[in-house]
């Protein structure tokens, strides 16, 4: 495993201030559209039917703390769909950008980040475990699945 850039307190280094400021000024909904496009391309093909049923109609939010952005989405029958940022989600998962990248690459374990208070999950505990266990069950890191999905798109 490759180490993640950390400061002397063990926390991942935040995004540069310019990027964080830019993120805070962007509207949330277009970001959620991009997020669900990526989820549908990379994650959707690997979701078993029972997981799809467990996600159906549930409001999920991914918050990138140092970027000042949050992406709201749900599962609707045949795929992920963006939601406008409103209300309290059923599950909110939060971390800084570098920690999300390290999770996607499987350089960091979600339990380690959670107990180090670098990954937060708020809301429905059962839904949080469903999401965590589903991602853990994927044979390849999400970043590799993304590369494969992009190769399939280019070949079409």
């Amino acid at each position: 495993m490759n180490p993640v850039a950390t400061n002397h307190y063990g926390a991942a280094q935040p995004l540069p201030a310019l990027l964080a400021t830019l993120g805070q000024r962007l509207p949330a909904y277009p970001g959620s559209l991009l997020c669900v496009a990526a989820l549908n391309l990379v994650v959707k093909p690997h979701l078993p039917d029972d997981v799809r049923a467990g996600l159906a109609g549930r409001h999920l939010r991914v918050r990138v703390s140092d970027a000042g952005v949050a992406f709201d989405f749900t599962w609707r029958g045949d795929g992920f769909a963006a939601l406008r940022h409103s209300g309290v989600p059923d599950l909110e998962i939060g971390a800084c950008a570098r920690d999300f990248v390290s999770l996607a690459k499987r350089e960091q374990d979600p339990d380690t980040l959670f107990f180090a208070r670098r990954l937060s999950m708020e809301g429905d505990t059962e839904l949080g475990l469903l999401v965590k266990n589903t991602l853990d069950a994927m044979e390849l890191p999400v970043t590799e699945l993304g590369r494969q999905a992009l190769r399939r798109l280019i070949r079409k």
Side-chain angles (χ1 to χ4, degrees), residues 28 31-32 35 39 59-65 68-73 85 89 91-97 100 119-120 131 135:
S32 293
C35 179
L39 288 170
H59 179 176
L60 296 107
R61 179 177 293 150
V62 172
R63 179 173 304 285
V64 185
S65 56
V69 296
F71 308 115
D72 290 50
F73 56 95
H85 184 86
L91 177 68
E92 180 176 308
I93 301 170
C96 73
F100 275 125
L119 175 69
S120 67
V131 170
L135 293 173

Side-chain angles (χ1 to χ4, degrees), residues 102-116:
S102 71
L103 284 169
K105 290 180 171 183
R106 292 202 174 153
E107 294 173 344
Q108 289 283 342
D109 175 72
D111 293 327
T112 302
L113 291 178
F114 179 80
F115 289 112

Side-chain angles (χ1 to χ4, degrees), residues 10-73:
Q13 294 176 354
L15 288 175
L18 179 62
L19 287 177
T21 301
L22 177 64
Q24 293 167 3
R25 293 184 181 189
L26 294 174
Y29 188 69
S32 293
L33 290 171
L34 291 172
C35 179
V36 298
L39 288 170
N40 284 325
L41 182 65
V42 177
V43 176
K44 174 185 164 184
H46 304 281
L47 293 180
D49 290 339
D50 62 326
V51 172
R52 293 172 187 222
L55 294 174
R58 306 301 298 272
H59 179 176
L60 296 107
R61 179 177 293 150
V62 172
R63 179 173 304 285
V64 185
S65 56
D66 57 341
V69 296
F71 308 115
D72 290 50
F73 56 95

Side-chain angles (χ1 to χ4, degrees), residues 127-140:
L127 181 58
L129 287 172
L130 175 71
V131 170
K132 178 197 172 297
N133 292 338
T134 299
L135 293 173
D136 284 347
M138 291 184 181
E139 292 183 23
L140 295 172

